[in-house]
Amino acid sequence: MTTTPDETPELAPVRPGEELDWDKLVGYLGAKLAVSPAEWSVQQFPNGSANLTYLLTLNDDLKVVIRRPPLGEIAAGAHDMGREHRVLSRLNKEFPRAPLSLLFCDDKSIIGSDFDVMEYRPGVVVWRSIPQVLQVGENVGHRVGLAVAEALGDLHLVDADACGLGDLGRPHGFLQRQVGGWTKRWNAVASEAEADLMADAAKRLANAIPENPTVSILHNDYQLSNVQFAAGKPDSVYSVFDWDMATLGDPLLDFATLLNYWPDPSDSEGSSGLYLPEVAALGLPNHVEMTQQYAKTTGYDIGAFGWYQAFASFRVAVILQQLAARFYRGETTDPRMKQRGELVRPQAVRAIELLDLNKIR
């Protein structure tokens, strides 16, 4: 893809320290996929924050995406490539926006970890600007945003049993486990500066867990940077990536996660969603408009939404602190991971403000 100066390249050379044993990997894939690698080449998708993702060109006819967990210590249940393969080898027939996973490898002698191999789909992701290939017609940013909300709603209407994912998770007690699990993860990496805020948020969230939620397939990390558009088609999401946390549970939590990564006029410097500053200038729909589109697509009642939004902020604060902890433990040289720690406090403050606003004590 050709980029203008304000566009973010989708591919780059592999970062130092994140190389894999390419010869062993290529030999393994050649045997498993029944191909004869010619002059293979590899590039890295550089924009993600956690899993390491590469584009491996095996020959003129075959390009595959390789995804493996980040280097270093991994939180229990996180970066589950086996789960991602299970989802993406089945979901595609009911939700074509899900790329097809070709194989899963749990032989750590190949590249040092489990990894997933999936089809490569050319297209564009919206990062800091609307790529030129999507600049078709008027109000492109607004249309892109509504397409993102619609695609998530479509996922939440998929019959999990119809694609063999009816046992993907344990929907009974899902929200209780989410609160307890993310609280435990926070305690494992807690920063002193946000300790009181996060302890308060965890207690209040646990005391007000919604009852009798709807159950659907959840992406569990759905955001603008995890969806892809085909050139010239800003009104429909083409692909959805990063399925390693997918499960069965309450769809409103998935939607709340999306909005926590989405700009809104109510955001302030000390309390806002988590997104690149440039994203706020893309002309995306606001939270009310996104909610209207999601409700139109799903038919769900989203009246009591404040708890979900507060939990989404709490969870993202934990994720940010986990990423920062990896940097300080020396498990990554990516300077962005250090910067993630500076974003924890606005998320913690946002969680408390949302709890206060919705009178959740």
Side-chain angles (χ1 to χ4, degrees):
M1 183 186 76
T2 301
T3 63
T4 58
D6 61 340
E7 291 182 5
T8 301
E10 295 297 332
L11 290 163
V14 177
R15 278 190 294 261
E18 295 181 352
E19 301 91 350
L20 307 179
D21 188 334
W22 305 119
D23 289 333
K24 183 175 287 188
L25 177 59
V26 168
Y28 173 84
L29 293 177
K32 288 291 185 179
L33 299 177
V35 298
S36 298
E39 294 184 4
W40 60 266
S41 62
V42 63
Q43 293 175 284
Q44 187 171 28
F45 294 93
N47 300 308
S49 294
N51 295 308
L52 302 180
T53 308
Y54 308 88
L55 176 64
L56 185 58
T57 300
L58 293 171
N59 56 42
D60 291 339
D61 299 317
L62 183 59
K63 295 182 178 183
V64 294
V65 175
I66 310 296
R67 276 171 52 81
R68 59 147 291 165
L71 304 173
E73 183 179 341
I74 304 298
H79 313 291
D80 190 338
M81 298 295 100
R83 174 176 290 267
E84 178 165 89
H85 169 72
R86 181 183 174 197
V87 171
L88 294 182
S89 62
R90 303 179 186 185
L91 182 58
N92 178 270
K93 67 177 184 178
E94 297 292 331
F95 187 70
R97 295 180 176 97
L100 181 64
S101 178
L102 305 175
L103 67 91
F104 166 69
C105 177
D106 60 1
D107 181 353
K108 295 179 175 57
S109 72
I110 306 299
I111 62 170
S113 72
D114 297 350
F115 62 94
D116 188 21
V117 182
M118 67 186 68
E119 65 171 333
Y120 169 64
R121 293 186 173 189
V124 294
V125 176
V126 176
W127 293 97
R128 293 175 172 82
S129 63
I130 305 291
Q132 287 297 315
V133 294
L134 288 183
Q135 298 286 0
V136 179
E138 303 294 325
N139 302 316
V140 174
H142 195 267
R143 290 154 57 199
V144 161
L146 295 183
V148 171
E150 181 182 44
L152 183 61
D154 286 345
L155 171 66
H156 292 162
L157 296 177
V158 169
D159 183 342
D161 290 325
C163 50
L165 294 173
D167 59 349
L168 180 62
R170 295 176 293 147
H172 180 71
F174 170 75
L175 294 177
Q176 288 84 350
R177 291 194 303 276
Q178 286 286 300
V179 173
W182 286 100
T183 299
K184 183 177 180 179
R185 290 185 183 188
W186 168 257
N187 291 335
V189 295
S191 61
E192 185 176 348
E194 289 78 33
D196 290 343
L197 284 172
M198 292 293 281
D200 184 27
K203 179 180 178 181
R204 292 162 67 177
L205 287 165
N207 288 339
I209 295 174
E211 298 180 355
N212 303 316
T214 303
V215 174
S216 75
I217 296 175
L218 307 189
H219 179 276
N220 228 0
D221 190 28
Y222 189 79
Q223 52 185 296
L224 180 62
S225 60
N226 276 344
V227 305
Q228 180 191 52
F229 291 84
K233 298 182 178 180
D235 297 296
S236 179
V237 168
Y238 175 46
S239 305
V240 179
F241 302 125
D242 292 3
W243 292 86
D244 54 292
M245 295 196 297
T247 190
L248 297 183
D250 188 335
L252 293 188
L253 184 54
D254 232 9
F255 183 56
T257 297
L258 169 63
L259 290 193
N260 196 63
Y261 292 122
W262 204 265
D264 189 74
S266 65
D267 291 338
S268 65
E269 183 176 349
S271 172
S272 70
L274 184 66
Y275 49 85
L276 295 168
E278 299 90 339
V279 171
L282 296 183
L284 299 171
N286 61 33
H287 284 195
V288 171
E289 293 169 313
M290 291 289 286
T291 300
Q292 290 171 341
Q293 178 64 55
Y294 177 78
K296 177 183 176 183
T297 302
T298 61
Y300 292 159
D301 179 3
I302 51 178
F305 194 49
W307 184 93
Y308 296 92
Q309 290 180 293
F311 178 74
S313 293
F314 175 84
R315 187 177 79 156
V316 169
V318 179
I319 293 172
L320 291 167
Q321 186 60 30
Q322 287 178 323
L323 294 173
R326 289 186 53 241
F327 180 87
Y328 287 111
R329 289 195 300 257
E331 296 169 356
T332 177
T333 59
D334 187 343
R336 297 175 303 158
M337 300 303 102
K338 179 181 179 181
Q339 296 165 0
R340 296 298 190 264
E342 300 168 3
L343 303 174
V344 173
R345 186 169 187 82
Q347 290 297 303
V349 169
R350 182 181 178 87
I352 295 296
E353 289 182 351
L354 286 163
L355 290 166
D356 288 344
L357 179 66
N358 291 278
K359 298 181 172 57
I360 298 173
R361 301 296 177 187

